[in-house]
């Protein structure tokens, strides 16, 4: 099972790499899945730069045809589902989110079990939390910081950390 998981993680990272039209230093891939859907998003920084670019900005920023971009997104989403299906086939606990990090040449993945779709935290809050946790995104104000802390507690409660 571990070999299958590692191979699928590499396939997801490769799929995302193929969608990025420039050389990059670091890549963070967020996957959120539940029984009724989900999504995959990612952020990368161009080689030698500090600013992270959100995947949805790729078509406009790099003049990539929307059809080509959407095809890449569908392929990556399919691979994410295949990763989750490995857990299901092996009768393992199903994760709700996964973060894949490619930092230089180091590839790693973290799995989380918090039922975000059953929480009061919506998709935009999850995206902001991801940016806060992995990209150094600063909260707008004290209220947003408190929300991030509450999200961290929620995630820890469901992961047994």
């Amino acid at each position: 099972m571990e070999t299958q998981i590692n191979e699928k993680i590499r396939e997801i990272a490769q799929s995302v790499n193929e969608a990025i039209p420039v050389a990059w230093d670091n890549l963070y891939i967020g996957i959120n899945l539940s029984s009724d859907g989900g999504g995959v998003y990612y952020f990368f920084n161009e080689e030698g730069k500090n600013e992270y670019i959100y995947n949805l900005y790729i078509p406009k920023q790099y003049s990539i045809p929307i059809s080509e971009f959407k095809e890449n997104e569908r392929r990556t989403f399919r691979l994410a589902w295949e990763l989750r299906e490995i857990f299901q086939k092996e009768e393992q606990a199903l994760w709700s989110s996964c973060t894949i990090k490619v930092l230089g040449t180091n590839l790693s993945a973290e799995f989380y079990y918090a039922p975000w779709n059953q929480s009061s935290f919506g998709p935009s809050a999850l995206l902001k939390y991801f940016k806060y946790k992995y990209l150094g995104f600063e909260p707008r104000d004290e209220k947003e910081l408190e929300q991030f802390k509450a999200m961290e507690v929620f995630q820890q409660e469901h992961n047994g950390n």
Side-chain angles (χ1 to χ4, degrees):
M1 180 177 126
E2 188 175 334
T3 302
Q4 287 178 294
I5 291 169
N6 290 335
E7 185 173 315
K8 196 58 66 177
I9 289 168
R10 280 192 293 280
E11 285 181 48
I12 292 167
Q14 183 60 35
S15 177
V16 169
N17 179 59
E18 290 170 7
I20 300 172
V22 294
W24 50 268
D25 288 325
N26 297 313
L27 170 64
Y28 293 86
I29 305 168
I31 303 170
N32 294 313
L33 298 177
S34 65
S35 59
D36 60 353
V40 177
Y41 52 88
Y42 51 91
F43 293 86
F44 63 94
N45 63 332
E46 290 185 13
E47 201 169 53
K49 296 183 180 178
N50 292 326
E51 181 184 341
Y52 281 91
I53 299 167
Y54 181 38
N55 65 299
L56 294 183
Y57 299 157
I58 289 174
K60 186 173 184 179
Q61 189 159 340
Y62 300 104
S63 301
I64 302 296
I66 295 290
S67 59
E68 180 182 325
F69 176 76
K70 285 183 178 182
E71 183 179 321
N72 288 334
E73 296 292 292
R74 282 191 293 273
R75 180 182 65 235
T76 303
F77 185 73
R78 180 182 43 80
L79 291 168
W81 270 108
E82 289 173 6
L83 175 61
R84 194 165 190 257
E85 287 171 352
I86 294 169
F87 285 73
Q88 189 169 18
K89 286 177 187 171
E90 295 294 328
E91 298 180 356
Q92 299 296 309
L94 290 181
W95 47 270
S96 58
S97 62
C98 172
T99 300
I100 298 172
K101 298 184 281 186
V102 185
L103 308 178
T105 59
N106 297 321
L107 173 66
S108 64
E110 301 165 353
F111 296 95
Y112 302 103
Y113 299 86
W116 293 110
N117 63 329
Q118 297 171 16
S119 74
S120 61
F121 307 113
S124 63
L126 280 172
L127 187 63
K128 287 178 184 178
Y129 178 64
F130 183 90
K131 290 168 53 178
Y132 168 75
K133 185 172 181 179
Y134 297 104
L135 308 179
F137 174 78
E138 291 293 327
R140 279 188 316 242
D141 51 33
E142 192 64 31
K143 183 179 178 183
E144 190 168 68
L145 178 60
E146 290 304 314
Q147 181 182 39
F148 292 157
K149 288 179 181 179
M151 293 173 86
E152 188 170 5
V153 167
F154 181 79
Q155 189 171 56
Q156 287 174 350
E157 286 174 351
H158 293 278
N159 278 5
N161 297 1

